[in-house]
């Protein structure tokens, strides 16, 4: 809060495509898709049109005992486009709530099966799953978690496959396989008390955009089957094309037992989330009222009609405009633009998975010694870039590009140039 005495909030008057405009006429290129939600630009004409039509018919209705066309169509669409076996859809209204739903549903599934001892969750070091207490408990980024530690349920935290720490010359796949041994051992020893493993497939976004190989997901799926534990894929940040495929799990050709979706789901327009699950899970709750097996969880705005319609329009754009294919070209342009950062004296790594590219800024390139967090070098990049009309918002000292998919090559070039200048500015003195 105090920072804003010297660096005031920027009131935005208008958004158009990739650009935001403030009340003084300054423009900012939204290089991080407004916290990873915006896929096809601000004020997108197709999504706007769909929303106007929805608005004239139904804005919202209680989603218990009632339903509506956009809610039904979206559930059917999500079942169609997500990995095989995910045949049921449960709505909530933000990412953290979707994580809460998946955790509760997994636990409750085992309880309904008489396996009441399966009460614990396994999570990865450096993971992030949201800010509500359950989601925070299964996350592992100290910055968000530590203060609230006394309030949080106890979870089993396993060292992760973050490939930043691989040995020189070791491939992402080899390191991910090596690190999986730690997960396998934990599952072997503790599976009888474990309900689910929760994971961010391929990229730990809030954990400084750390990445790993799809083979880890493949091994994890096999192990979860072997040890009778659910697999929850939190695709809230990585879903909808961010990693190069529509869903990150596709790269390992796996289907989780629960898949959490939000953020890009509505193209960045409205809060909505969905948890996809299997018919097997669904059936465990399906019974006569007297048996009290039902899943009781609701939010006032669950299945909001406007949000569902925005999501349908977003998925239409993916399908009609062949976005995943087009993004391959954009991703390779991003690779090209970022090559020069590898040579920078204060960059220890440039890494990329699909439409996410991250640059790790360090004090010492050779030892990888980080800058002290108190120096707030990332903030300097942020402030510099804003002064040049680009919205980059580093995570600590990691500068990343996560642009809307409407970004042009020239705009990518601008983002990379300003990021370069921003780093030069931030590492001075
Ligand atoms: N899971 C992941 C992987 C996320 O990146 C986020 C948001 N950054 C969340 C969950 C929480 O979503 P929300 O902010 O909508 O609660």
């Amino acid at each position: 809060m105090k920072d804003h005495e010297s660096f005031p909030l920027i009131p935005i008057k208008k958004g158009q495509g990739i650009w935001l405009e403030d009340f003084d006429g300054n423009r900012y290129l939204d290089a991080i898709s407004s916290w990873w939600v915006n896929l096809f630009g601000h004020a997108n004409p197709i999504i706007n049109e769909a929303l106007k039509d929805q608005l004239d018919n139904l804005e919202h209705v209680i989603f218990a005992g009632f339903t509506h066309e956009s809610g039904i169509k979206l559930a059917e669409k999500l079942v169609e486009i997500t990995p095989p076996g995910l045949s049921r859809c449960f709505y909530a209204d933000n990412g953290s709530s979707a994580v809460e739903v998946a955790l509760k549903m997994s636990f409750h599934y085992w309880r309904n099966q008489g396996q009441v001892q399966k009460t614990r969750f396994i999570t990865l070091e450096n993971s992030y799953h949201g800010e509500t207490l359950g989601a925070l408990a299964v996350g592992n980024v100290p910055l968000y978690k530590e203060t609230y530690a006394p309030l949080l349920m106890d979870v089993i935290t396993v060292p992760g496959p973050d490939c930043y720490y691989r040995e020189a010359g070791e491939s992402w796949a080899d390191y991910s396989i090596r690190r999986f041994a730690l997960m396998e051992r934990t599952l072997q020893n503790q599976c009888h008390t474990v309900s689910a493993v929760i994971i961010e497939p391929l990229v730990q976004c809030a954990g400084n955009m750390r990445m790993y190989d799809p083979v880890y997901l493949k091994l994890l799926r096999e192990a979860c089957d072997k040890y009778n534990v659910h697999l929850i894929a939190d695709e809230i940040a990585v879903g909808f094309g961010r990693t190069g495929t529509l869903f990150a799990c596709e790269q390992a050709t796996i289907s989780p037992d629960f898949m959490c979706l939000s953020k890009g789901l509505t193209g960045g327009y409205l809060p909505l989330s969905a948890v996809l699950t299997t018919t097997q899970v669904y059936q465990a709750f399906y019974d006569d009222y007297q048996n009290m097996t039902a899943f009781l969880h609701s939010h006032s705005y669950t299945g909001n009609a406007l949000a569902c319609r925005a999501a349908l329009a977003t998925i239409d754009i993916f399908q009609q405009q062949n976005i995943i294919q087009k993004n391959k070209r954009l991703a390779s342009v991003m690779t090209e633009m970022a090559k020069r950062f590898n040579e920078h004296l204060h960059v220890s790594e440039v890494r990329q998975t699909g439409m996410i590219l991250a640059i790790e800024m360090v004090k010492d390139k050779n030892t990888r010694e980080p800058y002290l967090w108190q120096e707030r070098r990332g903030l300097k990049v942020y402030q510099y870039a804003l002064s040049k009309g680009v919205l980059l918002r580093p995570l600590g000292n990691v500068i990343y590009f996560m642009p809307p998919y409407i970004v042009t090559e020239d705009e990518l070039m601008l983002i990379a140039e300003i990021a370069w200048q921003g780093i030069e500015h931030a590492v001075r003195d």
Side-chain angles (χ1 to χ4, degrees), residues 3 18 38 55 75 77 97 121 147 151 156 163 181 196 227 231 248 298 316 324 331 352 386 394 411 429:
D3 277 0
I18 203 166
N38 189 292
L55 195 56
K77 203 55 159 173
S97 298
F121 296 98
T147 310
L151 304 182
I156 302 166
C163 288
Y227 295 110
L231 174 57
S298 59
D316 270 353
I324 296 298
Q352 182 178 12
L386 273 184
E411 286 160 351
D429 71 57

Side-chain angles (χ1 to χ4, degrees), residues 280-330:
Q280 187 181 344
V281 168
Y282 176 86
Q283 287 299 343
F285 295 90
Y286 193 90
D287 208 343
D288 295 325
Y289 183 82
Q290 285 74 5
N291 292 329
M292 292 304 240
T293 56
F295 184 66
L296 298 182
H297 184 112
S298 59
H299 297 286
S300 311
Y301 283 99
T302 284
N304 174 262
L306 284 165
C308 288
R309 187 64 183 270
L312 278 168
T314 300
I315 297 169
D316 270 353
I317 297 175
F318 270 105
Q319 295 188 324
Q320 285 169 15
Q321 300 184 18
N322 210 5
I323 298 299
I324 296 298
Q325 200 54 34
K326 283 188 192 154
N327 280 359
K328 289 195 166 75
R329 160 112 197 105
L330 283 178

Side-chain angles (χ1 to χ4, degrees), residues 36 94-97 99 128-130 200 205-206 234 236-237 262-263:
W36 326 337
N94 65 77
S96 303
S97 298
V99 169
Y128 179 91
H129 297 288
E200 293 159 276
C205 293
D234 175 352
I236 289 164
S262 190
K263 288 195 185 281

